[in-house]
């Protein structure tokens, strides 16, 4: 089984890029096709990979840094790759990677982080951001086109995998397709439980608007508790100006430093809505409870009142109430760490490999069935020439059903 992996872009190491590292462990000979790569921003593990880029690699760095604005270029870049020599293509997709074109003999499995979120679930907030009626009309037309393109390119995929039940529901809603759920890999073994944590609360995040770190900063301004913020992003200056002295910003930190801070924190504050959210699982692997917004993937990874607690609204009042309620509760940090092992990367590797092989086997069976039907004698035509159907392993063709687990 000759495999190729397709990923959006390789310019930072986030949760999706950790999936690529895990897939590379499964299929070390598989090349990685991507729009562009920035090696200086990646860990050493990527240096030994066979990474093949699109024409976007030649764009000026200033443009690539605004890659969120380059969707039309993505639409063209991924459809230029020649994948004819591969038995299986695994796309790691949150915008455009699933749009790759594969021949009829190639099985395309998409590991989907979400359907194009800004064009579907976040549509109201994008429309609200329009400065006037003309701008709003342009945004409506643009997002309508992106939704049509997103659905159209979903037909390029033979089998979908969602990263959570939340994403399974979105795939069913927007694409009208069934999918398997395989949670992303988390290296739980990197974390150690600290039986004597400190009093400080912790945020670890990219400092961008949708992460809602402003809620945490304003809540801790009001509460007066110590909050440590790890991460960088375009919101940092604004958040630092907003913060009182009890809120400290440490900027970028190494994986080792983040693991240490997670084990020492009283709790992790997670105010955004994520499709899965690897960080809350990493915090729990360190035995640290999580205070999270009760939407999205957090509902699947955090057990309320056992490994953390939720706040129901993205508001400062709701965050404050959750922190004060949390401080009246007791948590067993070792039990929290055991819960996190359900999401260990070893489980991801085992489930992913088994499912990809099942998809490939079913895809091949469907190909044989199609051949048998094409060669079968039609009524009244060459009826004297029987076809030996035993030579073809025919199975029922149910293209919208995933293989049995």
């Amino acid at each position: 089984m000759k495999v190729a992996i397709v990923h959006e872009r390789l310019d930072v190491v986030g949760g999706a890029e950790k999936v690529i590292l895990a897939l590379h462990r499964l299929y070390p000979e598989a090349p990685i096709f991507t729009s562009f790569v920035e090696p200086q921003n990646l860990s050493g593990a990527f240096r030994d990979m066979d990474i093949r880029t699109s024409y976007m690699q030649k764009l000026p760095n200033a443009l690539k840094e605004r890659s969120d604005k380059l969707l039309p270029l993505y639409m063209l870049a991924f459809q230029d790759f020649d994948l004819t020599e591969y038995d299986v293509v695994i796309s790691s997709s949150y915008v455009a990677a699933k749009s790759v074109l594969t021949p009829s003999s190639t099985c395309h499995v998409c590991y989907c982080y979400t359907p194009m979120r800004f064009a579907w679930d976040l549509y109201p907030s994008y429309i609200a951001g329009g400065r006037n009626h003309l701008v709003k009309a342009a945004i409506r037309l643009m997002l309508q086109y992106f939704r049509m393109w997103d659905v159209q390119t979903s037909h390029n995929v033979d089998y979908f995998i969602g990263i959570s039940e939340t994403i399974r529901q979105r795939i069913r809603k927007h694409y009208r397709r069934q999918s398997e759920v395989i949670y992303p890999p988390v290296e739980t073994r990197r974390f150690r439980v600290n039986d004597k944590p400190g009093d400080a609360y912790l945020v670890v995040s990219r400092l961008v608007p949708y992460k809602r770190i402003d809620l945490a900063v304003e809540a801790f301004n009001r509460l007066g508790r110590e909050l440590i913020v790890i991460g960088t992003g375009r919101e940092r200056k604004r958040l630092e100006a907003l913060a009182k002295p009890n809120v400290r910003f440490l900027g970028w930190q190494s994986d080792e430093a983040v693991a240490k801070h997670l084990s020492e924190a009283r709790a992790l504050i997670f105010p955004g809505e994520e499709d899965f959210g690897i960080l809350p699982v990493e915090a729990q692997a360190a035995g640290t409870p999580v205070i999270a917004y009760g939407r999205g993937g957090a509902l699947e990874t955090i057990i309320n009142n056992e490994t953390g607690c939720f706040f129901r609204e993205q508001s400062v009042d709701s965050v404050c109430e959750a922190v004060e309620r949390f401080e009246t509760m007791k948590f067993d940090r070792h039990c929290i760490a055991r819960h996190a092992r359900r999401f260990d990367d070893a489980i991801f590797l085992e489930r992913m490999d088994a499912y990809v092989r099942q998809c490939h086997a079913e895809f091949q069976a469907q190909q044989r069935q199609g051949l048998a039907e094409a060669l079968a004698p039609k009524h009244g035509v060459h009826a004297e020439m029987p076809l030996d159907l035993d030579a073809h392993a025919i199975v029922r063709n149910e293209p919208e059903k995933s293989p049995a687990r």
Side-chain angles (χ1 to χ4, degrees), residues 164-235:
S164 65
E165 290 292 339
T166 297
I167 300 309
R168 190 213 293 262
Q169 292 171 14
R170 288 186 198 163
I171 291 170
R172 182 168 57 243
K173 172 72 173 178
H174 302 316
Y175 298 159
R176 300 295 194 262
R177 297 285 297 276
Q178 299 300 314
S179 59
E180 185 81 352
V181 172
I182 300 178
Y183 291 123
V186 182
E187 293 181 318
T188 61
R189 61 188 172 278
R190 291 199 301 112
F191 301 91
R192 296 291 180 269
V193 176
N194 188 335
D195 292 316
K196 296 181 179 180
D199 292 326
Y201 293 82
L202 181 67
V203 164
V204 182
S205 176
R206 284 185 293 123
L207 304 182
V208 293
Y210 83 92
K211 297 287 188 179
R212 298 311 311 269
I213 307 306
D214 58 312
L215 294 178
V217 172
E218 291 193 57
F220 278 79
N221 281 348
R222 183 185 301 180
L223 293 166
R225 315 292 201 276
E226 183 180 1
L227 177 67
I228 296 172
V229 179
I230 293 176
T232 60
R234 64 180 184 271
E235 285 273 282

Side-chain angles (χ1 to χ4, degrees), residues 10-211:
L10 288 170
D11 59 338
V12 295
V13 178
E17 288 67 39
K18 290 178 181 178
V19 169
I20 295 302
L21 289 171
L23 289 175
H24 182 67
R25 288 167 58 190
L26 267 182
Y27 311 109
E29 302 302 318
I32 314 293
F33 292 85
T34 190
S35 56
F36 64 89
V37 62
E38 295 293 345
Q40 69 276 11
N41 296 340
L42 303 176
S43 61
F46 286 92
R47 292 174 191 153
D48 297 328
M49 295 183 185
D50 177 4
I51 299 176
R52 306 180 190 182
T53 58
S54 75
Y55 69 87
M56 291 182 68
Q57 185 66 32
K58 298 178 182 179
L59 293 176
N61 287 336
L63 275 179
K64 287 188 285 188
E65 288 172 1
R66 299 305 306 272
S67 54
D68 57 325
K69 308 296 184 184
L70 300 179
L71 183 56
L73 298 182
Y74 280 113
M75 292 177 178
L76 298 174
F78 283 96
Q79 298 191 11
D80 281 350
F81 290 129
D82 182 1
L83 301 168
T84 54
E85 64 180 283
Y86 301 99
D87 302 308
V88 175
V89 169
I90 303 172
S91 61
S92 165
S93 182
Y94 48 86
V95 175
K98 76 177 190 309
S99 70
V100 290
L101 301 176
T102 57
S104 59
S105 58
T106 298
C107 177
H108 179 181
V109 181
C110 176
Y111 191 73
C112 182
Y113 302 97
T114 182
M116 195 179 290
R117 193 174 177 189
F118 65 86
W120 296 101
D121 295 76
L122 298 181
Y123 176 82
S125 62
Y126 272 80
I127 291 297
R131 293 185 297 274
N132 55 54
H133 292 301
L134 186 61
V135 172
K136 287 186 177 182
I139 292 173
R140 286 190 185 97
L141 288 173
M142 178 183 67
L143 294 182
Q144 172 66 13
Y145 173 74
F146 287 156
R147 284 195 298 273
M148 292 170 59
W149 181 86
D150 195 32
V151 172
Q152 179 189 9
T153 56
S154 73
H155 301 319
N156 296 1
V157 177
D158 297 299
Y159 301 93
F160 274 103
I161 302 170
I163 65 168
S164 65
E165 290 292 339
T166 297
I167 300 309
R168 190 213 293 262
Q169 292 171 14
R170 288 186 198 163
I171 291 170
R172 182 168 57 243
K173 172 72 173 178
H174 302 316
Y175 298 159
R176 300 295 194 262
R177 297 285 297 276
Q178 299 300 314
S179 59
E180 185 81 352
V181 172
I182 300 178
Y183 291 123
V186 182
E187 293 181 318
T188 61
R189 61 188 172 278
R190 291 199 301 112
F191 301 91
R192 296 291 180 269
V193 176
N194 188 335
D195 292 316
K196 296 181 179 180
D199 292 326
Y201 293 82
L202 181 67
V203 164
V204 182
S205 176
R206 284 185 293 123
L207 304 182
V208 293
Y210 83 92
K211 297 287 188 179

Side-chain angles (χ1 to χ4, degrees), residues 272-315:
E273 179 182 351
E274 295 287 350
D275 304 322
F276 174 73
I278 285 180
L279 190 70
V281 179
E282 292 181 335
Q284 291 172 90
T288 299
V290 182
I291 303 172
Y293 177 44
R295 291 285 299 274
L299 295 174
E300 299 177 48
T301 61
I302 301 165
I303 302 175
N304 196 28
N305 301 330
E306 291 186 25
T307 69
C309 64
F310 297 118
F311 52 94
R312 299 301 176 184
E313 297 178 0
Q314 284 185 311
S315 69

Side-chain angles (χ1 to χ4, degrees), residues 315-335:
S315 69
V316 175
D317 288 343
S318 192
V319 175
C320 289
E321 185 278 329
V323 172
E324 291 172 338
R325 174 163 37 91
F326 166 82
E327 292 181 348
T328 69
M329 304 165 67
K330 293 186 181 299
F331 293 89
D332 185 328
R333 295 176 79 93
H334 290 277
C335 286

Side-chain angles (χ1 to χ4, degrees), residues 107-109 157-161 168 171-172 175-181 355-366 369 395-405:
C107 177
H108 179 181
V109 181
V157 177
D158 297 299
Y159 301 93
F160 274 103
I161 302 170
R168 190 213 293 262
I171 291 170
R172 182 168 57 243
Y175 298 159
R176 300 295 194 262
R177 297 285 297 276
Q178 299 300 314
S179 59
E180 185 81 352
V181 172
Y355 188 72
V356 168
R357 291 183 183 280
Q358 288 180 36
C359 290
H360 183 230
E362 182 181 278
F363 181 83
Q364 287 184 312
Q366 291 174 0
Q369 176 181 343
V395 299
R396 182 179 299 276
N397 183 14
E398 297 177 343
E400 290 202 357
K401 291 186 178 180
S402 299
R405 297 187 185 183

